[in-house]
Amino acid sequence: TSQKTELQNKSIGPISSIGLTKEIDYKLAKTGEAIFKKNSKSCHRHNKKFIGPAATGIVSRRTPEWIMNMILNPEEMLRKDPLAKDLLIEFNYAPMIKQGLKTEDARAILEYYRTLN
């Protein structure tokens, strides 16, 4: 499931549409890296499964909206989104915990993820 590609599902949460430029905003990505290290590193690693899925390559397997909604709205996603439900099973029912991040924080993390492809 964590390696499954699903590029149609935007899922459930505050992000219904986001436009990404082709160029990566490295300043924003650096901010996202700091937020990731502070909030996500205890469960996620770059290139390997840990408590949660690896971060590397996520932007080639999920829509930007899905990624941001999972960051911002994990509880509802884990209850209602088929991909999130499958991930919960794959990772031994260790739920992603809501971090209380703002939309701009999730956007910065998404930009950081874009550098990991």
Side-chain angles (χ1 to χ4, degrees), residues 14 32 112:
Y112 171 57

Side-chain angles (χ1 to χ4, degrees), residues 72-98:
L72 296 169
N73 191 35
E75 291 115 343
E76 188 174 14
M77 291 271 292
L78 291 169
R79 284 192 318 271
K80 298 179 180 177
D81 179 81
L83 288 169
K85 286 177 175 182
D86 287 347
L87 286 170
L88 188 61
I89 294 165
E90 181 179 346
F91 289 90
N92 300 311
Y93 294 92
M96 183 164 162
I97 297 167
K98 187 169 185 161

Side-chain angles (χ1 to χ4, degrees), residues 33-75:
E33 180 179 15
I35 297 166
F36 176 87
K37 284 181 178 178
K38 181 179 178 209
N39 294 282
S40 306
K41 196 173 179 187
S42 60
C43 293
H44 298 277
R45 299 292 186 262
H46 292 134
N47 292 311
K48 66 178 183 177
K49 287 182 172 187
F50 191 53
I51 295 168
T56 300
I58 187 68
V59 297
S60 63
R61 295 188 308 274
R62 303 287 186 269
T63 63
E65 296 85 358
W66 190 95
I67 294 167
M68 288 184 64
N69 283 324
M70 191 66 190
I71 293 168
L72 296 169
N73 191 35
E75 291 115 343

